[in-house]
Amino acid sequence: MKLLLINGPNLNLLGVREPQKYGSTTLVDIEEELVRAASKEGVKLECYQSNHEGEIIDKIQSALGNYDGIIINAGGFTHTSIAIRDAIAAVNIPAVEVHMTNIHSREEFRHTSMISGVSIGQVVGFGAKSYEYALDGLIWHLKKIKDIDLQV
């Protein structure tokens, strides 16, 4: 099983960006932990980050035929990008949306996600742990749909 983690704009600044909201964990820390966790499950995880909408769309499109699932934190594009939503819908690969903060308890404009409607699930509000929960949920879902014995 092969998964793709996509992080959008400003997530490369985790650890220094608004630590009162996002903590001191860096994106590299999160990625390294997720790669280790995935490996323990026999899953290969590739990590990708971009501040550019078109590059994120290109990466999603390149997942077609190459990945079994996507974990995506589109950052601010979550609330604005119909194009990223359309790319996820177009490749028809199970995707989990993830956010470190609870977007539903923040500013009103963050309450709407363009991505949630084309995702199998959404994990929000658990800091860096949100990524681990998203990984676990996606692996569980993929095993379920492939009729693989689940070790829960």
Side-chain angles (χ1 to χ4, degrees), residues 13-75:
L13 296 177
L14 287 175
V16 296
R17 174 187 176 209
E18 299 179 87
Q20 69 282 6
K21 276 190 188 130
Y22 300 103
S24 59
T25 304
T26 68
L27 183 58
V28 170
D29 294 336
I30 291 169
E31 290 173 342
E32 288 174 351
E33 179 56 36
L34 284 182
V35 167
R36 272 192 298 274
S39 181
K40 287 180 185 174
E41 297 293 324
V43 173
K44 182 173 179 1
L45 178 69
E46 179 185 327
C47 303
Y48 176 80
Q49 188 277 328
S50 177
N51 293 318
H52 305 282
E53 185 178 28
E55 290 178 3
I56 292 169
I57 292 165
D58 289 343
K59 191 65 176 178
I60 293 167
Q61 290 178 358
S62 76
L64 189 59
N66 295 309
Y67 296 93
D68 300 295
I70 298 171
I71 299 167
I72 183 166
N73 182 344

Side-chain angles (χ1 to χ4, degrees), residues 104-123:
H104 306 290
S105 67
R106 293 187 59 192
E107 304 93 337
E108 184 72 30
F109 69 87
R110 295 187 196 277
H111 296 186
T112 300
S113 167
M114 297 293 164
I115 295 168
S116 63
V118 292
S119 298
I120 61 164
Q122 182 187 64
V123 180

Side-chain angles (χ1 to χ4, degrees), residues 74-137:
F77 290 139
T78 299
H79 320 290
T80 63
S81 183
I82 295 168
I84 290 175
R85 173 196 172 88
D86 288 350
I88 293 169
V91 297
N92 196 30
I93 297 169
V96 175
E97 178 184 354
V98 63
H99 299 282
M100 294 176 72
T101 63
N102 182 350
I103 62 173
H104 306 290
S105 67
R106 293 187 59 192
E107 304 93 337
E108 184 72 30
F109 69 87
R110 295 187 196 277
H111 296 186
T112 300
S113 167
M114 297 293 164
I115 295 168
S116 63
V118 292
S119 298
I120 61 164
Q122 182 187 64
V123 180
V124 302
F126 296 101
K129 272 290 215 200
S130 294
Y131 285 92
E132 292 178 47
Y133 299 146
L135 176 67
D136 289 345

